[in-house]
Amino acid sequence: MLNVEGLRTSAFESLLKYFYYGLSSFSALDSCNLISFCKKYDLDDVLQICERQMKDNLTYEVVIDILAVVFDRNSGGEEHMKVLSVSVSLSVSVCM
């Protein structure tokens, strides 16, 4: 049985679309929200997609929302922070 408590509705819908239709179009915010869920249930394929989506789609429009997820104690903030720090480092190096 899966415990989806703590997942945003849009993240859960995106996950279902991936399982049923193979669609992997997760937003950066949904990807951030799904990281701890993917680790908990050993969804390595989805985890890789989520990490890539966060790295590729981190913009100033969503960074505050992502930080809110990162610092939510119930959502595995430490794991989110690792991915976010790599994403920010990559973004800064690209901009320089």
Side-chain angles (χ1 to χ4, degrees):
M1 182 158 97
L2 296 178
N3 180 2
V4 296
E5 185 176 334
L7 280 184
R8 295 166 38 91
T9 303
S10 58
F12 185 67
E13 288 173 354
S14 295
L15 190 60
L16 289 177
K17 288 178 184 176
Y18 175 77
F19 288 140
Y20 284 103
Y21 306 112
L23 301 176
S24 59
S25 57
F26 304 113
S27 71
L29 182 56
D30 288 344
S31 295
C32 181
N33 189 230
L34 283 166
I35 286 176
S36 59
F37 181 84
C38 291
K39 288 185 180 230
K40 180 177 181 178
Y41 293 106
D42 295 321
L43 301 173
D44 295 331
D45 293 343
V46 180
L47 178 63
Q48 289 177 3
I49 293 168
C50 289
E51 289 176 345
R52 187 178 61 243
Q53 290 289 61
M54 281 187 63
K55 291 174 189 173
D56 294 346
N57 298 304
L58 184 65
T59 64
Y60 69 91
E61 290 96 351
V62 296
V63 75
I64 298 299
D65 293 328
I66 289 174
L67 287 172
V69 172
V70 168
F71 290 108
D72 179 3
R73 288 185 207 160
N74 297 324
S75 67
E78 311 83 40
E79 296 300 322
H80 300 308
M81 198 58 174
K82 290 176 190 174
V83 175
L84 185 61
S85 65
V86 169
S87 300
V88 170
S89 297
L90 290 173
S91 298
V92 169
S93 65
V94 168
C95 293
M96 295 184 139

